[in-house]
Amino acid sequence: MELALLIDIGSTYTKVTAIDLETVELKGTAQAATTVAEDVNIGINKAIEELRAMGVEPTEAKHKLACSSAAGGLKMIAVGLVPELTSEAAKRAALGAGAKVGHVFCYELTDDELDQITKYSPDIILLAGGTDGGNKDVIIHNAKKLAELKVDAPIIVAGNKTAASAVEKVLRAASKEVYVAENVMPKLECLNIEPAKKIIREVFLNRIIYAKGLAKVSEYVDSPIIPTPSAVMKAAKLLAKGSNNEAGLGDVMVVDIGGATTDVDSAATGEPTKQGVTLRGLEEPFVKRTVEGDLGMRYSALALVEEVGIKNILKNYLPPNIEEKMLVEYVEKISKNTDYVPCDDIEKEIDAGIAKAATDLAVKRHVGRIETVYSPFGAAYVQHGKDLTQLNYLIGTGGILIYGENPKEILKHGLYDSSQPDILAPENPKILLDEKYLLSSIGLLSEIVPDKALRLAKQYLKEI
């Protein structure tokens, strides 16, 4: 038996999975509470002991790989020139590296915005702005403002290359930790986010993983620990494109409903599927990730209800027997007790309704839109973002889907709605459930045995 041991250290639970790579078979999976406050190895060892109780001996593993989103991942802000261009490019670089972007600031930073940054206390700041040879004044102004910042966060400079040395000099003079990457947008509407993403991942390892007591884990596993969102993105790409010897599934979307956020990953080109539609705006990455920090099942449940609206939730996502008072009381309860598990049918219905609302809004924010533009020559149709109407597969993961009673009904709220034809959500995909919590493991394995990782996914992702 060629055993692979995959460790996913989450903000709440640590999951350990054992795969027999000879037979491409799941041998066992176990989980324990993540013990960040003490030592994450305590939680890992508890999960490993559960595996042993199943007859799996982890010390026999030939491959040992790990990913982590302990403490909720990397809190980040992005600063750019204009929201439609460099600041959006900076945001994509952050999300693609597994960070959670709390704020995006544009144009010249103000004192009030500097106060917002201080209160948010980011783990890292991404400073962009200006195409190469373009505007230098704004990024230099913003560097001077960030030099005043009383926050110990490294700053990645990824803007106009002709201003990079001046920006670095300003920040280093203020004793800031500075990294310089290539411009995230060297030419107008031309993205170059990989260099910045690489540095963000390195900072993740140095400031987050090791700060949470994972040095022992890094010595135990074969490869550097990666952010869990990066592992899921790798899985989405593998599922869509396939490997050298195994065909992919075609375009896929992953909806991950968590306690703090709802994350959506799509692996698709998103080109227009309707005649007469023109693409406009930044080029979309093949693998795209969005993180909605106000659409979680527990930590951000109050924010979700405020965003969607109580009346709207009652009307569109809950059965008529649920009254406003029931919804309000339940949301207050789970916001105070984030580990709470619904204990009766009413609470389960409300929980499912919250998940439906999170899915609906998260997918709407992720997919593209069609805009009608009028000119002297008549109406024209412009697409912003990805057209995912013809998506092949929609994959659901997260506790409410895996342990809930009707995950398909929740995920259906992420489908195309004919009453909102401008929103380019999937029309008729096959719906799969990651019922064994394997997506991060598939992403980890894709780096060493992509053919087998894909076969594993095809075997254990369940159509619902």
Side-chain angles (χ1 to χ4, degrees):
M1 179 171 65
E2 184 183 357
L3 192 69
L5 188 69
L6 298 316
I7 303 170
D8 180 358
I9 305 160
S11 56
T12 306
Y13 291 102
T14 293
K15 295 170 280 292
V16 179
T17 301
I19 306 292
D20 183 346
L21 293 180
E22 287 183 10
T23 60
V24 191
E25 180 185 5
L26 176 65
K27 301 302 293 183
T29 182
Q31 70 176 31
T34 297
T35 48
V36 173
E38 306 156 83
D39 179 345
V40 294
N41 291 279
I42 297 171
I44 292 172
N45 289 333
K46 285 181 180 178
I48 285 176
E49 284 306 313
E50 279 195 33
L51 275 184
R52 284 199 175 99
M54 300 174 192
V56 179
E57 180 46 63
T59 57
E60 297 176 358
K62 181 178 179 182
H63 308 280
K64 297 182 286 292
L65 304 169
C67 57
S68 173
S69 58
L74 198 69
K75 285 169 55 183
M76 206 167 168
I77 66 160
V79 181
L81 181 54
V82 293
E84 297 82 6
L85 298 174
T86 45
S87 60
E88 177 63 21
K91 185 176 179 181
R92 290 189 190 181
L95 290 169
K100 181 168 68 176
V101 182
H103 297 281
V104 176
F105 298 96
C106 310
Y107 311 115
E108 293 187 350
L109 284 171
T110 65
D111 289 339
D112 286 344
E113 289 173 333
L114 215 61
D115 288 341
Q116 289 181 51
I117 295 170
T118 301
K119 289 177 183 176
Y120 184 65
S121 188
D123 296 300
I124 188 168
I125 298 168
L126 186 57
L127 175 59
T131 56
D132 287 343
N135 183 293
K136 295 190 295 185
D137 296 338
V138 170
I139 192 171
I140 292 174
H141 167 90
N142 288 342
K144 291 176 180 177
K145 298 301 289 185
L146 292 174
E148 304 171 12
L149 199 64
K150 305 301 183 186
V151 173
D152 181 25
I155 300 172
I156 298 176
V157 179
N160 185 346
K161 71 176 183 180
T162 58
S165 59
V167 168
E168 182 181 12
K169 184 176 180 181
V170 167
L171 294 170
R172 290 200 185 281
S175 300
K176 298 295 184 183
E177 183 181 347
V178 184
Y179 302 84
V180 179
E182 294 176 18
N183 195 347
V184 291
M185 181 174 286
K187 298 178 183 178
L188 195 63
E189 296 191 1
C190 174
L191 292 180
N192 177 40
I193 62 176
E194 289 302 322
K197 280 170 61 176
K198 182 179 178 182
I199 294 177
I200 294 168
R201 291 192 189 104
E202 290 172 356
V203 173
F204 180 96
L205 289 170
N206 293 332
R207 291 183 68 90
I208 298 298
I209 289 182
Y210 293 111
K212 302 302 175 185
L214 296 185
K216 291 180 184 176
V217 184
S218 68
E219 295 171 1
Y220 177 68
V221 297
D222 306 331
S223 302
I225 302 168
I226 66 171
T228 301
S230 296
V232 175
M233 291 177 76
K234 289 177 184 292
K237 183 177 180 180
L238 179 69
L239 283 163
K241 287 196 165 185
S243 59
N244 289 338
N245 301 303
E246 192 78 22
L249 302 179
D251 293 349
V252 303
M253 175 190 286
V254 177
V255 176
D256 183 354
I257 308 172
T261 68
T262 294
D263 305 345
V264 181
D265 296 85
S266 62
T269 59
E271 296 287 330
T273 60
K274 298 173 178 61
Q275 289 188 343
V277 175
T278 304
L279 265 176
R280 184 174 293 177
L282 291 176
E283 179 185 359
E284 292 282 336
F286 179 78
V287 184
K288 176 181 177 179
R289 175 176 179 254
T290 51
V291 177
E292 307 304 340
D294 58 343
L295 301 179
M297 294 295 299
R298 292 293 181 269
Y299 295 93
S300 51
L302 284 172
L304 185 154
V305 171
E306 182 178 344
E307 173 67 23
V308 179
I310 291 175
K311 302 294 186 188
N312 191 24
I313 291 176
L314 290 169
K315 178 182 177 182
N316 295 306
Y317 308 110
L318 290 171
N321 64 305
I322 305 297
E323 299 174 359
E324 181 174 334
K325 183 182 178 182
M326 298 176 183
L327 172 61
V328 171
E329 289 178 350
Y330 182 72
V331 170
E332 289 177 351
K333 181 192 293 185
I334 61 176
S335 298
K336 293 174 183 175
N337 182 4
T338 54
D339 294 330
Y340 187 79
V341 176
C343 60
D344 59 37
D345 290 342
I346 294 293
E347 291 187 341
K348 289 177 182 178
E349 286 179 340
I350 297 175
D351 231 30
I354 294 171
K356 290 172 184 177
T359 300
D360 189 0
L361 193 50
V363 170
K364 280 184 170 67
R365 291 176 179 177
H366 182 91
V367 304
R369 292 173 179 264
I370 293 284
E371 177 187 7
T372 305
V373 179
Y374 296 95
S375 72
F377 304 101
Y381 300 97
V382 175
Q383 176 181 319
H384 299 272
K386 285 186 175 186
D387 181 347
L388 298 180
T389 55
Q390 303 306 306
L391 190 87
N392 300 89
Y393 287 90
L394 172 61
I395 303 168
T397 189
I400 183 65
L401 296 173
I402 292 171
Y403 301 114
E405 295 177 357
N406 202 336
K408 188 172 185 178
E409 286 304 311
I410 293 172
L411 291 171
K412 278 183 176 179
H413 283 266
L415 300 183
Y416 179 83
D417 181 353
S418 59
S419 69
Q420 297 177 296
D422 59 314
I423 299 172
L424 303 174
E427 290 183 351
N428 191 32
K430 291 183 179 179
I431 299 179
L432 306 179
L433 181 64
D434 178 27
E435 62 176 353
K436 301 294 186 183
Y437 264 128
L438 287 178
L439 279 174
S440 60
S441 294
I442 290 162
L444 289 169
L445 287 174
S446 70
E447 293 296 291
I448 58 170
V449 284
D451 295 344
K452 292 179 179 181
L454 185 51
R455 278 159 45 199
L456 184 77
K458 290 177 178 179
Q459 182 176 350
Y460 287 100
L461 292 177
K462 176 187 175 185
E463 185 170 353
I464 55 175

